[in-house]
Amino acid sequence: SFDRRVFAPTETVSPDLFKPSRPLRLTPQDGMYAVSDATLSGSLCDVRSFVEQRQLPASAQTRLYATVQGRTWLSTRVSPEKCGAIRDGVPYLVIPLCVASGEWYGAQFRTLDRKEYLTFRWAHEELNRTFGLDAWHPDERTYCVEGPLDALCVTNALAFCGSDLRSGLEQLAFAGILLTDYVLVWDNEPRNPQIVTHLSKAIAAGASVVIW
């Protein structure tokens, strides 16, 4: 049977993960706009069009952001060396990585012209790359998916920004966040050897999974 002790927390829970703190408040002066913002103009509208073309629910637009000042915004949070290829003047879809209070501890930038995600963190390294904690209900069944955009389409979902979902669970447990009722949902790639391996190991361990 599946030994859930492998996910037992080994460190003291950080109170910042659960109690309200001072969230990162984003204003137009920051150069970061909610995709739902009615005042979007120019290339920022391209970001909203991208989100709409993905047929995400309307509610998703309040949890996603757009910017054309990505490097300027990011350089106030990480070192210039870590900004990598992020540039100003280029429209980005920005996916916030938040703790339960809504405070951003990182963000994922997505270019519109190619499928490329660049992830940055400036706090809570123990959480790795977990999306959705700010809208998560721990007492309900949790659906663990690969990508944040997928999580926005599923009730009470967390995304681990990658295909190693079980490692994502372990990372949360080490941060003191223990999931007891969850389903692992990989992308619909039935012939991808990596996905098949992940599925096989999860099933052998007794975890609940979705097979497309």
Side-chain angles (χ1 to χ4, degrees), residues 8-191:
T10 60
E11 301 177 1
T12 302
V13 178
S14 170
D16 293 337
L17 299 180
F18 300 102
K19 73 179 184 180
S21 59
R22 296 174 61 185
L24 176 61
R25 299 189 183 281
L26 302 177
T27 67
Q29 288 72 32
D30 294 315
M32 192 72 68
Y33 300 79
V35 171
S36 60
D37 191 334
T39 66
L40 290 186
S41 61
S43 56
L44 292 175
C45 289
D46 295 338
V47 178
R48 181 159 58 202
S49 295
F50 172 83
V51 172
E52 292 172 345
Q53 289 167 7
R54 293 293 296 264
Q55 298 184 332
L56 299 176
S59 59
Q61 295 190 13
T62 64
R63 298 176 62 191
L64 299 172
Y65 290 79
T67 188
V68 290
Q69 297 177 330
R71 191 172 186 88
T72 297
W73 184 86
L74 192 60
S75 64
T76 64
R77 292 157 178 87
V78 301
S79 66
E81 295 77 18
K82 290 185 177 181
C83 289
I86 300 298
R87 295 177 291 153
D88 286 342
V90 176
Y92 291 97
L93 171 65
V94 182
I95 302 168
L97 302 178
C98 304
V99 295
S101 66
E103 176 191 2
W104 291 37
Y105 71 88
Q108 193 172 71
F109 284 65
R110 207 278 194 195
T111 57
L112 304 184
D113 57 349
R114 62 189 181 279
K115 189 177 181 180
E116 181 181 38
Y117 291 90
L118 298 174
T119 306
F120 304 89
R121 289 172 295 165
W122 47 84
H124 297 299
E125 292 291 323
E126 70 277 10
L127 290 177
N128 198 11
R129 297 175 298 175
T130 304
F131 170 83
L133 290 171
D134 53 322
W136 177 54
H137 300 283
D139 295 331
E140 300 177 9
R141 172 165 291 180
T142 303
Y143 293 89
C144 303
V145 301
E146 294 187 39
L149 298 186
D150 296 327
L152 292 169
C153 300
V154 181
T155 301
N156 207 43
L158 296 177
F160 295 130
C161 300
S163 62
D164 196 348
L165 303 184
R166 296 190 70 220
S167 288
L169 287 173
E170 290 179 353
Q171 198 73 35
L172 283 183
F174 293 148
I177 304 173
L178 185 64
L179 276 67
T180 57
D181 182 10
Y182 59 85
V183 179
L184 303 178
V185 187
W186 280 275
D187 288 354
N188 185 12
E189 301 179 78
R191 290 178 176 80

